[in-house]
Amino acid sequence: MAKTYGPLIWLQLGSTPVVIVSSVDAAREIMKTHDIIFSNRPFTSVSDRIFYGSKDVVFSPYGEHWRKIKRKTYGFQHMVHWIAKATTHFSVGNYFPSFTWMDRLSGLLREADEIFKESDDLFEGVIEEHVNKKDFGIKGHDLVDILLEIQKDKSTGFELERYMIKAIILVTFI
């Protein structure tokens, strides 16, 4: 079709205009000059119903809400994907302890240390944000707030350490 009609084809699918770009150069030019116009996903009634009125990071329209939600969620999504990938790797040292050096050599243990450091920093930031949210006028109550309240409550006879809160957040999102 591109040979007959050129690199840009405009279609009208019902009431929705659709542009088909079949050239790398044309796509690059469009994304350079009109990226915000084409950055939204098309609205669908099904995704709107399933994803809370398209308020999630995938289906919400580009704008301030999308930027805010992406900053919260991208770190979590990236972390969950990274953890899932790393935990599915075969660890020789788990089955043959005398061969743990192979896990070091392959980089598996280094990657686990990097994941821990990055996730710890991410969750530390989340906790600090919740601890200081009154200072910034943020309202709302979520899992992290509840865990912080349990941590402050000494009457339970159970001391909830900060690292435990991070572990609970991690497991909840995975």
Coordinates of all heavy atoms in Angstrom, one line a residue, residues 62-123:
Y62 N -2.1 11.6 28.2 CA -0.8 12.3 28.5 C -1.2 13.7 29.1 O -2.1 14.4 28.7 CB 0.0 12.6 27.2 CG 1.3 13.3 27.5 CD1 2.4 12.6 28.0 CD2 1.4 14.7 27.3 CE1 3.5 13.3 28.3 CE2 2.6 15.4 27.5 CZ 3.6 14.7 28.0 OH 4.8 15.3 28.3
G63 N -0.5 14.0 30.2 CA -0.7 15.2 30.9 C -0.1 15.1 32.3 O 0.7 14.2 32.6
E64 N -0.5 16.0 33.2 CA 0.1 16.1 34.5 C -0.2 14.8 35.3 O 0.7 14.3 36.0 CB -0.5 17.3 35.3 CG 0.2 17.6 36.6 CD 1.7 17.8 36.5 OE1 2.2 18.3 35.5 OE2 2.4 17.5 37.5
H65 N -1.5 14.3 35.3 CA -1.8 13.1 36.0 C -0.9 11.9 35.5 O -0.4 11.2 36.3 CB -3.3 12.7 35.8 CG -3.7 11.4 36.3 ND1 -3.8 11.2 37.6 CD2 -3.9 10.2 35.7 CE1 -4.1 9.9 37.8 NE2 -4.2 9.3 36.6
W66 N -0.8 11.8 34.2 CA 0.0 10.7 33.6 C 1.5 10.8 34.1 O 2.1 9.9 34.5 CB 0.0 10.8 32.1 CG 0.8 9.7 31.5 CD1 0.4 8.4 31.2 CD2 2.1 9.8 31.0 NE1 1.4 7.7 30.6 CE2 2.5 8.5 30.5 CE3 3.0 10.8 30.9 CZ2 3.7 8.3 29.9 CZ3 4.3 10.6 30.4 CH2 4.6 9.3 29.9
R67 N 2.1 12.1 34.1 CA 3.4 12.3 34.5 C 3.6 11.9 36.0 O 4.6 11.2 36.3 CB 3.9 13.7 34.3 CG 4.2 14.0 32.8 CD 4.9 15.3 32.6 NE 4.1 16.4 33.0 CZ 3.2 17.0 32.2 NH1 3.0 16.5 31.0 NH2 2.5 18.1 32.6
K68 N 2.7 12.3 36.8 CA 2.8 11.9 38.2 C 2.7 10.4 38.5 O 3.5 9.8 39.2 CB 1.7 12.6 39.0 CG 2.0 14.1 39.2 CD 0.9 14.7 40.0 CE 1.1 16.2 40.2 NZ 0.0 16.9 40.9
I69 N 1.7 9.8 37.8 CA 1.5 8.3 38.1 C 2.7 7.5 37.5 O 3.1 6.5 38.0 CB 0.2 7.9 37.5 CG1 -0.2 6.5 38.1 CG2 0.1 7.7 36.1 CD1 -1.3 6.6 39.1
K70 N 3.2 8.0 36.4 CA 4.4 7.3 35.8 C 5.6 7.3 36.7 O 6.3 6.3 36.9 CB 4.7 7.9 34.4 CG 5.8 7.1 33.7 CD 5.9 7.6 32.3 CE 7.1 7.2 31.5 NZ 7.6 5.9 31.6
R71 N 5.8 8.5 37.3 CA 6.9 8.6 38.3 C 6.7 7.7 39.5 O 7.7 7.1 39.9 CB 7.0 10.1 38.7 CG 8.4 10.7 38.9 CD 8.3 12.1 39.3 NE 6.9 12.6 38.9 CZ 6.5 13.8 39.0 NH1 7.2 14.7 39.4 NH2 5.3 14.1 38.7
K72 N 5.5 7.4 39.9 CA 5.4 6.5 41.0 C 5.5 5.1 40.6 O 6.2 4.2 41.1 CB 3.9 6.6 41.6 CG 3.8 7.8 42.6 CD 2.5 7.8 43.1 CE 2.2 9.0 44.0 NZ 0.8 9.3 44.3
T73 N 4.9 4.7 39.5 CA 4.7 3.4 39.0 C 5.9 2.9 38.2 O 6.2 1.7 38.2 CB 3.4 3.2 38.2 OG1 3.5 4.0 37.1 CG2 2.2 3.4 39.0
Y74 N 6.6 3.8 37.5 CA 7.6 3.2 36.6 C 8.7 2.6 37.4 O 9.2 1.5 37.1 CB 8.3 4.3 35.7 CG 9.4 3.8 34.9 CD1 9.2 2.9 33.8 CD2 10.7 4.0 35.3 CE1 10.2 2.4 33.1 CE2 11.8 3.4 34.6 CZ 11.5 2.6 33.5 OH 12.5 2.0 32.8
G75 N 9.1 3.2 38.5 CA 10.1 2.6 39.4 C 9.7 1.2 39.9 O 10.5 0.3 39.9
F76 N 8.4 1.1 40.3 CA 7.9 -0.2 40.7 C 7.8 -1.2 39.6 O 8.3 -2.3 39.8 CB 6.5 0.0 41.3 CG 6.5 0.6 42.7 CD1 5.8 1.8 42.9 CD2 7.1 0.0 43.8 CE1 5.8 2.4 44.1 CE2 7.1 0.6 45.0 CZ 6.5 1.8 45.2
Q77 N 7.3 -0.8 38.4 CA 7.2 -1.7 37.3 C 8.6 -2.2 36.9 O 8.8 -3.4 36.7 CB 6.5 -1.1 36.1 CG 5.1 -0.9 36.4 CD 4.5 0.0 35.2 OE1 5.1 0.6 34.5 NE2 3.1 -0.1 35.1
H78 N 9.5 -1.3 36.8 CA 10.9 -1.7 36.4 C 11.5 -2.6 37.5 O 12.1 -3.7 37.1 CB 11.7 -0.4 36.3 CG 13.2 -0.7 36.2 ND1 13.8 -1.2 35.0 CD2 14.2 -0.5 37.1 CE1 15.1 -1.3 35.2 NE2 15.4 -0.9 36.4
M79 N 11.3 -2.3 38.7 CA 11.8 -3.2 39.8 C 11.2 -4.6 39.8 O 11.9 -5.6 39.9 CB 11.6 -2.5 41.2 CG 12.3 -3.1 42.3 SD 14.1 -3.1 42.1 CE 14.4 -1.4 41.9
V80 N 9.9 -4.6 39.7 CA 9.2 -5.9 39.6 C 9.7 -6.8 38.5 O 10.0 -8.0 38.6 CB 7.7 -5.7 39.6 CG1 7.0 -7.0 39.3 CG2 7.2 -5.2 40.9
H81 N 9.8 -6.2 37.3 CA 10.3 -6.9 36.1 C 11.7 -7.4 36.3 O 12.0 -8.5 36.0 CB 10.2 -6.0 34.9 CG 10.7 -6.6 33.7 ND1 10.0 -7.6 33.0 CD2 11.9 -6.4 33.0 CE1 10.8 -8.0 31.9 NE2 11.9 -7.3 31.9
W82 N 12.5 -6.5 36.9 CA 13.9 -6.9 37.1 C 14.0 -8.0 38.1 O 14.8 -9.0 37.9 CB 14.7 -5.7 37.6 CG 16.2 -5.7 37.6 CD1 17.0 -6.6 36.9 CD2 17.1 -4.8 38.2 NE1 18.3 -6.3 37.1 CE2 18.4 -5.2 37.9 CE3 16.9 -3.7 39.0 CZ2 19.5 -4.6 38.4 CZ3 18.0 -3.0 39.4 CH2 19.3 -3.5 39.1
I83 N 13.3 -8.0 39.2 CA 13.3 -9.0 40.2 C 12.8 -10.3 39.7 O 13.4 -11.4 39.9 CB 12.5 -8.6 41.4 CG1 13.2 -7.4 42.2 CG2 12.2 -9.7 42.4 CD1 12.4 -6.7 43.2
A84 N 11.7 -10.2 38.9 CA 11.1 -11.5 38.3 C 12.1 -12.2 37.4 O 12.3 -13.4 37.4 CB 9.8 -11.1 37.6
K85 N 12.8 -11.4 36.6 CA 13.8 -11.9 35.7 C 15.0 -12.5 36.5 O 15.4 -13.6 36.2 CB 14.3 -10.8 34.8 CG 15.3 -11.3 33.7 CD 15.7 -10.1 32.8 CE 16.9 -10.5 32.0 NZ 17.6 -9.4 31.4
A86 N 15.4 -11.8 37.5 CA 16.6 -12.3 38.2 C 16.3 -13.6 39.0 O 17.1 -14.5 39.2 CB 17.1 -11.2 39.2
T87 N 15.1 -13.6 39.6 CA 14.8 -14.8 40.5 C 14.4 -16.0 39.7 O 14.3 -17.1 40.3 CB 13.6 -14.5 41.4 OG1 12.5 -14.0 40.6 CG2 13.9 -13.4 42.4
T88 N 14.3 -15.9 38.4 CA 14.1 -17.1 37.6 C 15.4 -17.7 37.0 O 15.4 -18.8 36.5 CB 13.1 -16.8 36.4 OG1 13.7 -15.8 35.6 CG2 11.8 -16.4 36.9
H89 N 16.5 -17.0 37.2 CA 17.8 -17.6 36.8 C 18.2 -18.7 37.7 O 17.9 -18.7 38.9 CB 18.9 -16.5 36.9 CG 18.8 -15.4 35.9 ND1 19.2 -14.2 36.1 CD2 18.3 -15.5 34.6 CE1 19.0 -13.5 35.0 NE2 18.4 -14.2 34.1
F90 N 18.8 -19.7 37.1 CA 19.2 -20.9 37.8 C 20.5 -20.5 38.6 O 21.5 -20.0 38.1 CB 19.5 -22.0 36.9 CG 20.0 -23.3 37.5 CD1 19.1 -24.1 38.2 CD2 21.3 -23.6 37.5 CE1 19.5 -25.2 38.9 CE2 21.8 -24.8 38.1 CZ 20.9 -25.6 38.8
S91 N 20.5 -20.8 39.9 CA 21.6 -20.6 40.8 C 22.3 -21.9 41.1 O 21.7 -22.7 41.9 CB 21.2 -19.9 42.1 OG 22.2 -19.9 43.0
V92 N 23.5 -22.1 40.6 CA 24.2 -23.4 40.8 C 24.5 -23.5 42.3 O 24.4 -24.6 42.8 CB 25.5 -23.4 40.0 CG1 26.4 -24.6 40.3 CG2 25.2 -23.3 38.5
G93 N 24.9 -22.4 42.9 CA 25.3 -22.5 44.3 C 24.1 -22.9 45.3 O 24.4 -23.4 46.4
N94 N 22.9 -22.7 44.9 CA 21.8 -23.2 45.7 C 21.7 -24.7 45.8 O 21.3 -25.3 46.8 CB 20.4 -22.7 45.2 CG 20.2 -21.2 45.5 OD1 20.9 -20.7 46.3 ND2 19.3 -20.7 44.7
Y95 N 22.2 -25.4 44.7 CA 22.1 -26.9 44.7 C 23.4 -27.5 45.0 O 23.5 -28.6 45.5 CB 21.6 -27.3 43.3 CG 20.2 -26.8 43.1 CD1 20.0 -25.6 42.4 CD2 19.1 -27.4 43.6 CE1 18.7 -25.1 42.2 CE2 17.8 -26.9 43.4 CZ 17.6 -25.8 42.7 OH 16.4 -25.3 42.5
F96 N 24.5 -26.8 44.6 CA 25.9 -27.3 44.9 C 26.7 -26.2 45.5 O 27.3 -25.4 44.9 CB 26.5 -27.7 43.5 CG 25.7 -28.7 42.8 CD1 24.9 -28.3 41.7 CD2 25.7 -30.1 43.1 CE1 24.2 -29.2 40.9 CE2 25.0 -30.9 42.3 CZ 24.2 -30.5 41.3
P97 N 26.6 -26.1 46.9 CA 27.2 -25.0 47.6 C 28.7 -24.8 47.3 O 29.2 -23.7 47.3 CB 27.0 -25.3 49.1 CG 25.8 -26.2 49.1 CD 25.9 -27.0 47.8
S98 N 29.4 -25.8 47.0 CA 30.8 -25.7 46.6 C 31.0 -25.0 45.3 O 32.2 -24.6 45.0 CB 31.5 -27.1 46.7 OG 31.0 -27.9 45.7
F99 N 30.0 -24.8 44.5 CA 30.1 -24.1 43.2 C 29.4 -22.7 43.2 O 29.1 -22.2 42.2 CB 29.4 -25.0 42.1 CG 30.2 -26.2 41.8 CD1 29.8 -27.5 42.2 CD2 31.3 -26.1 41.0 CE1 30.5 -28.6 41.9 CE2 32.0 -27.3 40.6 CZ 31.6 -28.5 41.1
T100 N 29.3 -22.2 44.4 CA 28.8 -20.8 44.5 C 29.6 -19.8 43.8 O 29.1 -18.8 43.3 CB 28.7 -20.4 46.0 OG1 27.8 -21.3 46.7 CG2 28.1 -19.0 46.2
W101 N 30.9 -20.1 43.6 CA 31.7 -19.2 42.8 C 31.2 -19.0 41.4 O 31.4 -18.0 40.8 CB 33.2 -19.8 42.8 CG 33.3 -21.1 42.2 CD1 33.2 -22.3 42.8 CD2 33.5 -21.4 40.8 NE1 33.4 -23.4 41.9 CE2 33.6 -22.8 40.7 CE3 33.7 -20.6 39.7 CZ2 33.8 -23.5 39.5 CZ3 33.9 -21.3 38.4 CH2 34.0 -22.7 38.3
M102 N 30.5 -20.0 40.9 CA 29.9 -19.9 39.5 C 28.9 -18.8 39.5 O 28.7 -18.1 38.5 CB 29.4 -21.2 39.0 CG 30.5 -22.3 38.8 SD 29.8 -23.9 38.3 CE 29.4 -23.5 36.6
D103 N 28.1 -18.7 40.6 CA 27.1 -17.6 40.6 C 27.8 -16.2 40.7 O 27.2 -15.3 40.1 CB 26.2 -17.8 41.8 CG 25.3 -19.0 41.7 OD1 25.1 -19.5 40.6 OD2 24.9 -19.5 42.8
R104 N 28.9 -16.1 41.3 CA 29.7 -14.9 41.3 C 30.2 -14.6 40.0 O 30.1 -13.5 39.5 CB 30.8 -15.0 42.4 CG 30.4 -14.7 43.8 CD 31.6 -14.5 44.7 NE 31.1 -14.5 46.1 CZ 30.9 -15.5 46.8 NH1 31.1 -16.7 46.4 NH2 30.4 -15.4 48.1
L105 N 30.8 -15.6 39.4 CA 31.4 -15.5 38.0 C 30.4 -15.1 37.0 O 30.6 -14.3 36.1 CB 32.1 -16.8 37.6 CG 32.9 -16.8 36.3 CD1 34.1 -15.8 36.4 CD2 33.4 -18.2 36.0
S106 N 29.2 -15.6 37.1 CA 28.1 -15.4 36.1 C 27.5 -14.0 36.3 O 26.8 -13.5 35.4 CB 27.0 -16.4 36.1 OG 26.3 -16.2 37.3
G107 N 27.8 -13.4 37.4 CA 27.2 -12.0 37.7 C 25.8 -12.1 38.4 O 25.2 -11.1 38.7
L108 N 25.4 -13.3 38.7 CA 24.1 -13.4 39.3 C 24.0 -12.8 40.7 O 23.1 -12.1 41.0 CB 23.7 -14.9 39.4 CG 22.3 -15.2 40.0 CD1 21.2 -14.6 39.1 CD2 22.1 -16.7 40.1
L109 N 25.0 -13.0 41.5 CA 25.0 -12.4 42.9 C 25.2 -10.9 42.8 O 24.6 -10.2 43.6 CB 26.1 -13.1 43.7 CG 26.0 -14.6 43.9 CD1 27.1 -15.1 44.8 CD2 24.6 -14.9 44.6
R110 N 26.0 -10.4 41.9 CA 26.2 -9.0 41.7 C 24.9 -8.3 41.3 O 24.5 -7.3 41.8 CB 27.3 -8.7 40.7 CG 27.5 -7.2 40.4 CD 28.5 -6.9 39.3 NE 28.3 -7.7 38.1 CZ 27.4 -7.6 37.2 NH1 26.4 -6.7 37.3 NH2 27.3 -8.4 36.1
E111 N 24.2 -9.0 40.4 CA 22.8 -8.5 40.0 C 21.9 -8.4 41.2 O 21.1 -7.5 41.3 CB 22.3 -9.3 38.8 CG 21.0 -8.7 38.3 CD 20.4 -9.5 37.1 OE1 20.9 -10.6 36.9 OE2 19.6 -8.9 36.4
A112 N 21.9 -9.5 42.0 CA 21.0 -9.5 43.2 C 21.4 -8.4 44.1 O 20.5 -7.7 44.7 CB 21.1 -10.9 43.9
D113 N 22.6 -8.1 44.3 CA 23.1 -7.0 45.1 C 22.6 -5.6 44.6 O 22.2 -4.8 45.3 CB 24.6 -7.0 45.3 CG 25.1 -8.1 46.2 OD1 24.2 -8.7 46.9 OD2 26.3 -8.5 46.1
E114 N 22.7 -5.5 43.2 CA 22.2 -4.3 42.6 C 20.7 -4.1 42.7 O 20.2 -3.0 43.0 CB 22.6 -4.3 41.1 CG 24.1 -4.1 40.8 CD 24.4 -4.3 39.3 OE1 23.5 -4.3 38.5 OE2 25.6 -4.4 39.0
I115 N 20.0 -5.2 42.6 CA 18.5 -5.1 42.7 C 18.2 -4.7 44.1 O 17.3 -3.9 44.4 CB 17.9 -6.5 42.4 CG1 18.0 -6.7 40.9 CG2 16.4 -6.5 42.8 CD1 17.6 -8.1 40.5
F116 N 18.9 -5.3 45.1 CA 18.6 -5.0 46.5 C 18.9 -3.5 46.8 O 18.0 -2.8 47.3 CB 19.4 -5.8 47.5 CG 19.3 -5.4 48.9 CD1 18.1 -5.7 49.6 CD2 20.2 -4.5 49.5 CE1 18.0 -5.2 50.9 CE2 20.1 -4.1 50.8 CZ 18.9 -4.4 51.5
K117 N 20.0 -3.0 46.3 CA 20.3 -1.6 46.5 C 19.3 -0.7 45.9 O 18.8 0.3 46.5 CB 21.7 -1.3 46.0 CG 22.1 0.1 45.9 CD 23.0 0.6 47.1 CE 23.5 1.9 47.0 NZ 22.5 3.0 47.2
E118 N 19.0 -0.9 44.6 CA 18.0 -0.1 43.9 C 16.6 -0.1 44.5 O 16.0 0.9 44.7 CB 18.0 -0.4 42.4 CG 17.4 0.7 41.6 CD 17.6 0.4 40.1 OE1 18.8 0.2 39.7 OE2 16.6 0.6 39.4
S119 N 16.2 -1.3 44.9 CA 14.8 -1.5 45.5 C 14.8 -0.8 46.9 O 13.9 -0.2 47.3 CB 14.4 -2.9 45.5 OG 15.2 -3.7 46.4
D120 N 15.9 -1.0 47.6 CA 16.0 -0.4 49.0 C 15.9 1.1 48.9 O 15.2 1.8 49.6 CB 17.3 -0.9 49.7 CG 17.3 -0.4 51.1 OD1 16.4 -0.9 51.9 OD2 18.2 0.4 51.5
D121 N 16.6 1.7 47.9 CA 16.6 3.1 47.7 C 15.2 3.6 47.3 O 14.7 4.6 47.8 CB 17.6 3.6 46.6 CG 19.0 3.4 47.1 OD1 19.3 3.3 48.3 OD2 19.9 3.5 46.2
L122 N 14.6 2.8 46.4 CA 13.2 3.2 46.0 C 12.2 3.1 47.1 O 11.5 4.1 47.3 CB 12.8 2.2 44.9 CG 11.4 2.4 44.3 CD1 11.3 3.7 43.5 CD2 11.0 1.2 43.4
F123 N 12.3 2.1 47.9 CA 11.3 1.9 49.0 C 11.6 2.9 50.1 O 10.7 3.4 50.8 CB 11.2 0.5 49.5 CG 10.7 -0.4 48.4 CD1 11.4 -1.7 48.2 CD2 9.7 -0.1 47.6 CE1 10.9 -2.5 47.2 CE2 9.2 -0.9 46.6 CZ 9.8 -2.2 46.4

